[in-house]
Amino acid sequence: MENPPANTSKIADIAHDDLPDVVDIVMEIGASAPQATVASRPTPRVSARLEALVETATAYANAASSENTRDAYAKDWRHFIAWCRREGFELMPPSSQVIGLYIGACASGDPKRGVPPLSVATIERRLSGLAWNFTQRGVPMDRSDRHIATVLAGIRRRHATPPRQKEAVLGDDIKAMVNTLGHDLRGLRDRAILLLGFAGGLRRSEIVGLDIVRDDRSDGHGWIEIFPEGVLVTLRGKTGWREVEVGRGASDQTCPVAALESWIRFGRIARGPLFRRIFKDNKTIDVERLSDKHVARLVKQTALAAGVRSDLPEGERASLFSGHSLRAGLASSAEIEERYVQKQLGHASAEMTRKYQRRRDRFRTNLTKASGL
């Protein structure tokens, strides 16, 4: 690897920490625009009309990526800035040599400072975060440059480990999990979360992002409509809008639609977020929507309480379950054609769906016996 650029000055100004936005661009336009010559009536640098345009454009820019993604990319950027300052490298413009050294340091960790090495997946995410941040600042990073690509290939070869998949909770597991819940308000809400999340194959962010009715001004990710045959969930995803149909179950005790209707009725949910926080008195319901972390905790707690995978040690079981267990569970247990599962989960490719169904179909075809052994 070639030597990185020498550091002839301190890291670029703290202004580099802040992502330039539409306001910066407008201010530049205002500074270069012809100014009025009447001294008694100075022209405002940014007119009210321009401010309104800035506000609109900024809202659209924020909508281009999810809040979680922006938070993750901001964290990646801060980590890179801190490393550059500590090592004495220039932050701007992006240097492939420096970034190659950075990901190498991430993979090795720093035992003296008690910093553990990062996983390959985290390093790749960090690179995506850096690429996004540099692009927003008008200085794109060339991720394919050999100083980055070759180091990353070596990290993958040396440190890559098999992916850890969360345990899929199957139909019988879900039945046992909802049976651990009470019949108070909190139990009604959590039962509806588990059953709707499982039957819809929904992500945890999609579950808590639902509103009870359509509201174009909402910060949510979709809404529900209840019909005699089931519930229609309309979701806004990365690639646009999609609809998920959740039919009624064979029993009211495990029917996602019945659970949803009970929560709505007793929770008196008429508008706004569908799933909300409940205060300690277990009677007062907040107006704000739940955090998606609640879904992950709920799945973990009820799976452990129901004895799912009780053949494993307690500590190992605790790490197996997450909100994704609901989504994986539907794909792994539904005995229907692949195309229907793919549509329900909103997978762009059938290959992703097959990854779940392969787990379901393991050892179903026994070539050992078929060969005569």
Side-chain angles (χ1 to χ4, degrees):
M1 179 179 290
E2 300 170 11
N3 293 328
N7 179 27
T8 58
S9 64
K10 292 184 178 181
I11 286 295
D13 245 337
I14 193 69
H16 286 306
D17 296 6
D18 302 320
L19 186 62
D21 56 21
V22 181
V23 177
D24 298 328
I25 299 171
V26 172
M27 294 302 289
E28 290 175 11
I29 295 173
S32 60
Q35 299 296 313
T37 57
V38 181
S40 61
R41 296 180 58 192
T43 302
R45 196 169 187 184
V46 180
S47 68
R49 172 61 179 161
L50 205 49
E51 286 182 348
L53 291 174
V54 167
E55 185 176 345
T56 301
T58 301
Y60 282 127
N62 288 334
S65 56
S66 71
E67 184 178 352
N68 288 342
T69 299
R70 292 195 300 273
D71 288 346
Y73 285 170
K75 181 180 179 181
D76 297 335
W77 187 243
R78 290 193 298 270
H79 188 273
F80 180 62
I81 289 174
W83 181 84
C84 284
R85 286 176 174 155
R86 190 166 57 250
E87 301 298 334
F89 291 127
E90 291 285 358
L91 182 64
M92 294 288 220
S95 164
S96 299
Q97 296 100 312
V98 170
I99 295 170
L101 292 176
Y102 169 69
I103 61 174
C106 288
S108 301
D110 189 346
K112 292 182 179 179
R113 297 177 54 245
V115 178
L118 298 181
S119 68
V120 175
T122 301
I123 292 171
E124 290 179 335
R125 210 284 314 285
R126 285 263 161 88
L127 275 177
S128 297
L130 293 185
W132 185 86
N133 275 283
F134 278 124
T135 299
Q136 300 307 306
R137 289 163 174 79
V139 282
M141 179 189 96
D142 184 6
R143 186 168 174 171
S144 64
D145 184 280
R146 62 190 179 90
H147 296 101
I148 300 175
T150 305
V151 174
L152 183 60
I155 292 172
R156 286 173 177 155
R157 183 177 178 85
R158 180 172 294 184
H159 297 293
T161 57
R164 284 182 170 270
Q165 294 181 325
K166 292 299 181 180
E167 188 77 9
V169 291
L170 307 181
D172 288 340
D173 298 329
I174 284 291
K175 293 177 183 178
M177 288 161 65
V178 297
N179 283 338
T180 68
L181 299 172
H183 294 279
D184 54 5
L185 270 180
R186 188 169 279 105
L188 292 177
R189 180 201 63 190
D190 290 346
R191 184 175 284 103
I193 288 174
L194 289 177
L195 291 173
L196 181 65
F198 177 82
L202 304 180
R203 299 177 178 88
R204 65 184 192 179
S205 60
E206 293 172 338
I207 296 172
V208 299
L210 289 173
D211 292 328
I212 189 168
V213 294
R214 177 173 180 170
D215 182 355
D216 294 335
R217 298 168 297 176
S218 169
D219 63 347
H221 301 305
W223 64 89
I224 64 166
E225 297 173 85
I226 298 178
F227 297 94
E229 301 82 5
V231 60
L232 179 66
V233 181
T234 302
L235 294 167
R236 181 179 62 215
K238 294 181 179 179
T239 58
W241 293 94
R242 67 186 179 95
E243 292 182 341
V244 175
E245 299 162 356
V246 179
R248 293 186 180 271
S251 165
D252 281 350
Q253 284 68 41
T254 57
C255 173
V257 186
L260 201 55
E261 289 172 328
S262 294
W263 160 243
I264 292 170
R265 181 168 67 254
F266 290 102
R268 297 179 181 178
I269 311 296
R271 62 178 62 85
L274 177 60
F275 295 116
R276 313 172 182 196
R277 188 167 68 95
I278 299 173
F279 291 106
K280 290 183 179 180
D281 62 6
N282 205 17
K283 296 178 181 179
T284 310
I285 299 176
D286 199 354
V287 296
E288 302 295 331
R289 69 178 73 251
L290 274 176
S291 163
D292 63 351
K293 293 179 181 178
H294 174 81
V295 179
R297 290 193 296 265
L298 174 63
V299 172
K300 187 186 294 288
Q301 290 169 0
T302 54
L304 294 177
V308 181
R309 292 306 309 268
S310 57
D311 54 307
L312 298 175
E314 189 74 16
E316 187 175 343
R317 289 175 63 215
S319 64
L320 283 178
F321 303 102
S322 72
H324 191 69
S325 298
L326 299 176
R327 186 170 166 82
L330 175 73
S332 300
S333 57
E335 297 285 346
I336 56 175
E337 290 183 37
E338 175 188 285
R339 59 192 176 97
Y340 294 115
V341 178
Q342 182 182 348
K343 177 179 180 294
Q344 188 83 341
L345 299 183
H347 284 155
S349 68
E351 181 58 31
M352 180 61 71
T353 306
R354 292 187 193 114
K355 287 182 180 179
Y356 293 107
Q357 295 192 322
R358 286 191 194 109
R359 298 167 69 184
R360 179 197 67 188
D361 296 335
R362 283 174 184 156
F363 306 113
R364 187 170 291 188
T365 302
N366 191 328
L367 293 181
T368 306
K369 289 183 178 179
S371 66
L373 297 180

